Amino acid sequence: MEKEIVMTYAGLRALEDELEYLKTVKRKEVAEKIKVARGYGDLSENSEYDEAKNEQGLMEGRIALLEKMLKNARVVTEDELSNDTVSVGSHVRIKDEDGDEEEYDITGSAEADPLEGKISDESPIGAALVGHGVGDKVDISLPNGAVVTYEILEIGRSVL
């Protein structure tokens, strides 16, 4: 059985939009690049052709991955969200031992973007926070082996 991919509605829409773009716009662009590169002659020494074929392969791989993700997607509904415990779709404010505060949106792995403050429920921090409530202190094992304790200050809802 395929692994269920939990995501917010916004994450689902973003994947659908990317898939649509790749299938309608990008496929045509890459096909045109291949057609132009073929016109340069001998394919055995044609770097433009090789590059275009590689781009096509990567794009088709991404399309297949997106289709698989969408097939196995489960969107978190408003009814499933609670401000009592952290889950996918939560916006959480936490504080470390030094008093430094951080805020994250907890997402499914398909829509995680740490630079944007969106962390996966499967990441070390996200996995440790899920299921805990305001006031809980959570020990998080970091990839470098260190353990950091965070206190959950506030739980809200991410924009879905």
Side-chain angles (χ1 to χ4, degrees):
M1 183 175 152
E2 297 285 335
K3 179 182 168 200
E4 181 178 78
I5 299 173
V6 180
M7 63 180 60
T8 63
Y9 181 73
L12 178 73
R13 290 293 315 143
L15 292 181
E16 289 173 338
D17 291 346
E18 181 184 356
L19 181 61
E20 182 68 17
Y21 168 77
L22 290 174
K23 285 179 149 185
T24 59
V25 176
K26 194 68 177 171
R27 262 188 181 155
K28 288 178 183 153
E29 289 175 2
V30 172
E32 186 59 29
K33 284 183 185 178
I34 291 170
K35 182 179 171 186
V36 168
R38 271 197 182 119
Y40 295 148
D42 185 5
L43 297 183
S44 65
E45 296 180 17
N46 188 329
S47 64
E48 288 87 357
Y49 179 78
D50 290 342
E51 189 177 310
K53 288 298 282 182
N54 284 340
E55 184 178 354
Q56 182 184 42
L58 291 172
M59 180 193 60
E60 292 299 333
R62 180 68 180 162
I63 287 172
L65 177 65
L66 290 172
E67 287 175 337
K68 183 178 178 183
M69 289 167 68
L70 289 169
K71 181 178 147 230
N72 296 308
R74 182 178 71 79
V75 176
V76 176
T77 64
E78 286 286 331
D79 301 348
E80 295 176 72
L81 294 178
S82 159
N83 289 343
D84 297 329
T85 58
V86 177
S87 65
V88 171
S90 293
H91 180 83
V92 63
R93 189 165 56 91
I94 57 177
K95 177 174 68 173
D96 67 16
E97 296 120 334
D98 297 329
D100 295 328
E101 292 186 16
E102 298 175 30
E103 292 188 34
Y104 296 108
D105 289 322
I106 308 299
T107 68
S109 58
E111 54 189 313
D113 184 353
L115 297 177
E116 294 289 322
K118 297 177 181 181
I119 60 171
S120 165
D121 61 331
E122 297 174 12
S123 70
I125 295 174
L129 293 174
V130 169
H132 289 279
V134 173
D136 288 354
K137 292 188 191 269
V138 181
D139 290 333
I140 299 171
S141 299
L142 301 177
N144 66 4
V147 175
V148 179
T149 301
Y150 285 98
E151 179 182 355
I152 299 174
L153 301 176
E154 184 180 331
I155 301 170
R157 293 181 180 196
S158 297
V159 178
L160 298 175

